[in-house]
């Protein structure tokens, strides 16, 4: 059975075959898909990243974090229509927010520029979204997923932080700190991202749950970075993730207290009594 998400039909713009993109032998979609790639000095890795990107995607948005190598030139050679956006701030969160703002597609996919993500998996993320999910979350620890790039300490830390989020926010995640995700663009209005570092992924995962969005985990395999070294620092960024979790928990309690003290709710309680 094919899965097709059709656009709204109006008298002025009847649907045409050209609006549908064949994704696989059993799936065609109408929504345009934007792929956001934050990159800083990743010229050597981009050939591996772009090689796996499917040709049916609508656009590639490369957010350049003030690279001093040939990142931008290589990206344009590999994907002539690439949309290059200059990052004015710092950090992965800032880069992603900048990229999201530049997207024109209805579906947005986040892909790292270090060669650790397989672009061939994008079809699984998009399939989940057109089948009804709001947010398709990659997981290295779901059945069928895996990782070549995590030490025992990082796995332990990820598990501990994931457990805290599941218990405090009612989530059912198997992975927390992973940057391969996809979502409908309208979700951005509900999660209101406002952080700059690697903790952005955790913030997104918490806020989609708080917003009541439908989340589906997608098994994903994380490969080793091909060239260069990562800017991620396990202890430093782990503490930033924990800080985000505690802040979001505090915000949730504050909203609950304000709701409990609202005049309307007091009036309702008075009527009940």
């Amino acid at each position: 059975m094919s899965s097709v998400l059709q656009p709204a039909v109006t008298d002025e713009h009847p649907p045409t075959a050209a609006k549908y993109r064949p994704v696989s032998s059993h799936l065609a979609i109408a929504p345009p898909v934007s792929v956001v790639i934050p990159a800083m000095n990743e010229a050597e890795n981009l050939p591996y990243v772009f090689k796996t990107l499917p040709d049916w995607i609508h656009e590639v948005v490369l957010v350049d974090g003030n690279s001093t190598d040939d990142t931008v030139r290589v990206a344009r050679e590999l994907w002539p229509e690439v949309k290059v956006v200059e990052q004015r701030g710092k950090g992965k969160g800032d880069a992603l927010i900048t990229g999201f703002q530049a997207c024109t597609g209805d579906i947005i996919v986040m892909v790292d520029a270090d060669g650790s993500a397989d672009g061939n998996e994008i079809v699984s993320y998009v399939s989940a979204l057109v089948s009804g999910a709001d947010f398709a979350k990659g997981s290295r620890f779901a059945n069928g997923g895996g990782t070549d790039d995590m030490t025992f300490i990082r796995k332990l830390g990820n598990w501990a932080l994931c457990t805290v989020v599941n218990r405090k926010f009612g989530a059912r995640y198997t992975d927390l700190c992973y940057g391969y995700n996809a979502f409908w663009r309208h979700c951005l209005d509900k999660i209101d991202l406002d952080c700059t570092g690697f903790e952005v992924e955790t913030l997104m995962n918490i806020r989609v749950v708080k917003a009541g969005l439908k989340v589906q985990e997608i098994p994903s395999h994380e490969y080793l970075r091909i060239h260069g070294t990562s800017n991620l620092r396990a202890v430093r960024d782990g503490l930033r993730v924990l800080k985000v979790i505690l802040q979001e928990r505090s915000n949730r309690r504050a909203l609950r207290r304000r709701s409990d003290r609202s005049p309307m709710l007091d009036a309702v309680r008075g009527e009940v009594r």
Side-chain angles (χ1 to χ4, degrees):
M1 179 182 296
S2 62
S3 298
V4 179
L5 183 66
Q6 299 186 8
V9 178
T10 64
D11 294 336
E12 293 83 3
H13 302 287
T16 63
K19 290 186 178 180
Y20 294 90
R21 296 171 175 80
V23 174
S24 68
S25 60
H26 62 281
L27 175 67
I29 63 169
V33 177
S34 299
V35 174
V36 176
I37 305 175
M40 183 174 70
N41 297 328
E42 298 286 8
E44 290 185 290
N45 290 321
L46 289 183
Y48 301 92
V49 177
F50 280 83
K51 180 175 64 176
T52 64
L53 293 180
D55 57 8
W56 47 262
I57 60 178
H58 166 63
E59 66 181 355
V60 176
V61 177
L62 182 111
V63 184
D64 178 49
N66 301 303
S67 297
T68 56
D69 66 357
D70 292 330
T71 290
V72 174
R73 180 185 62 79
V74 170
R76 286 176 172 153
E77 289 179 353
L78 295 168
W79 201 281
E81 299 83 15
V82 65
K83 182 186 292 186
V84 177
V85 182
E86 181 181 347
Q87 181 182 357
R88 300 191 181 278
K90 293 182 179 180
K92 185 176 184 179
D94 181 83
L96 286 173
I97 292 171
T98 300
F100 296 160
Q101 293 171 342
C103 289
T104 60
D106 294 330
I107 291 174
I108 299 175
V109 184
M110 305 157 46
V111 176
D112 287 340
D114 58 4
S116 62
D118 183 358
N120 291 307
E121 294 179 0
I122 290 177
V123 63
S124 299
Y125 289 82
V126 171
S127 296
L129 294 176
V130 299
S131 297
D134 297 306
F135 190 87
K137 182 192 178 312
S139 173
R140 296 161 291 187
F141 304 110
N143 187 25
T147 178
D148 301 331
D149 194 31
M150 287 188 78
T151 64
F152 172 77
I153 295 298
R154 284 181 58 198
K155 286 182 180 179
L156 182 62
N158 185 59
W159 171 82
L161 293 169
C162 187
T163 300
V164 172
V165 168
N166 287 344
R167 291 181 178 177
K168 298 298 183 181
F169 298 96
R172 296 182 177 178
Y173 295 140
T174 60
D175 197 353
L176 184 67
C177 308
Y178 190 41
Y180 201 172
N181 304 298
F183 53 90
W184 292 99
R185 187 170 57 170
H186 64 74
C187 294
L188 291 172
D189 296 332
K190 299 181 180 180
I191 60 179
D192 190 25
L193 298 176
D194 54 5
C195 70
T196 60
F198 282 100
E199 70 274 13
V200 65
E201 293 139 4
T202 296
L203 183 65
M204 293 181 75
N205 293 333
I206 292 174
R207 289 190 176 172
V208 295
V209 172
K210 291 171 67 174
L213 299 176
K214 183 177 179 181
V215 181
Q216 181 172 330
E217 285 199 332
I218 306 299
S220 177
H221 191 98
E222 178 187 40
Y223 297 90
L224 289 170
R225 163 182 278 274
I226 300 173
H227 296 286
T229 57
S230 173
N231 292 320
L232 186 146
R233 298 294 178 266
V235 175
R236 178 199 66 187
D237 294 309
L239 291 174
R240 293 184 68 162
V241 168
L242 180 59
K243 182 178 179 181
V244 163
I245 295 172
L246 296 176
Q247 286 177 337
E248 290 300 300
R249 181 61 177 169
S250 297
N251 292 341
R252 187 176 184 182
R253 288 175 176 171
L255 288 172
R256 187 180 302 159
R257 286 196 296 269
R258 284 199 294 269
S259 176
D260 289 342
R261 291 196 298 265
S262 68
M264 184 177 294
L265 187 56
D266 290 340
V268 171
R269 287 169 175 169
E271 291 177 5
V272 171
R273 292 193 187 101

